[in-house]
């Protein structure tokens, strides 16, 4: 089983729509969770950390389900600039530990 | 906004040659990392570095690889004898000391081994 598993997509979504991505992780001891975005041939950029209680940052909402080892990202009112690959990322501990990346889900927002 | 910088942006080398990739982490960060991403694949952890020593390394980080913090600002990755399969994007990242583990990535160095 992959350590972090994501649907690779692509997701082609009209501008203004809501889109949701899911991710599962295999290590039940994982403690830190993140969503990064990566534009083509660029570095991963931190989008948001994911907290146990769920968290929201503008149009973005992240949820964590530890029992199911499942992380989600919801993007509301999608914009053309949201087109990117979204990377689900976990690490084993809270501290300064290696990040384990999923392969990413590719999103294209269509005008 | 402070950012991680990396040089060069693109390095082309012949198989068997040594390369050094350079990074300047964010100035108040204490943890440094190298990751790589082979074209079309996921980002993979190579090594983490704290207090002038390696904290953790992956299976990829074999004897051909080494890291160094030669001065107060630079963090380098050396590949002693490059192989074709070392061709990838190499990302440097840094993080503050603390619980959040939020890591910030540099723009990467594209290494092409011929």
């Amino acid at each position: 089983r992959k350590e972090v598993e994501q649907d690779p997509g692509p997701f082609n979504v009209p501008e203004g729509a809501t889109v949701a991505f899911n991710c599962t992780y295999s290590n039940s001891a994982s403690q830190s969770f993140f969503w990064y975005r990566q534009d083509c041939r660029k570095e991963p950029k931190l989008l948001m950390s994911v907290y146990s209680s769920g968290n929201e940052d503008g149009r973005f909402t992240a949820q964590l389900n530890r029992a199911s080892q499942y992380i989600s990202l919801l993007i509301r009112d999608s914009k053309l600039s949201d087109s990117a690959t979204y990377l689900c990322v976990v690490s084993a501990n809270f501290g300064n530990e290696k990040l384990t990346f999923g392969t990413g889900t590719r999103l294209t927002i269509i005008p | 906004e402070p950012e991680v910088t990396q040089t060069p942006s693109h390095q082309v080398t012949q198989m068997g040659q040594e390369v050094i990739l350079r990074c300047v982490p964010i100035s108040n960060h204490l943890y440094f990392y190298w990751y790589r991403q082979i074209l079309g694949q996921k980002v993979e952890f190579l090594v983490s570095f704290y207090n002038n020593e390696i904290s953790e390394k992956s299976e990829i980080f074999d004897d051909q690889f080494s890291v160094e913090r030669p001065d107060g600002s630079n963090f380098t990755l050396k590949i002693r004898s490059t192989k074709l399969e070392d061709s990838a994007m190499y990302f440097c990242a840094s993080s503050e000391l603390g619980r959040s583990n939020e890591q910030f990535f540099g723009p990467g160095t594209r290494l092409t081994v011929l």
Side-chain angles (χ1 to χ4, degrees), chain A residues 6-23:
Chain A
Q6 295 182 252
D7 181 344
F11 283 53
N12 298 314
V13 172
E15 196 175 2
T18 295
V19 60
F21 305 133
N22 304 318
C23 160

Side-chain angles (χ1 to χ4, degrees), chain A residues 19-56:
Chain A
V19 60
F21 305 133
N22 304 318
C23 160
T24 56
Y25 59 95
S26 61
N27 183 358
S28 60
S30 297
Q31 297 289 349
S32 299
F33 309 91
F34 309 92
W35 284 101
Y36 279 74
R37 69 169 277 167
Q38 186 174 31
D39 295 292
C40 189
R41 295 179 179 262
K42 301 285 190 183
E43 74 273 24
K45 290 191 174 173
L46 179 63
L47 183 63
M48 57 198 303
S49 301
V50 186
Y51 304 121
S52 295
S53 54
N55 48 300
E56 188 174 308

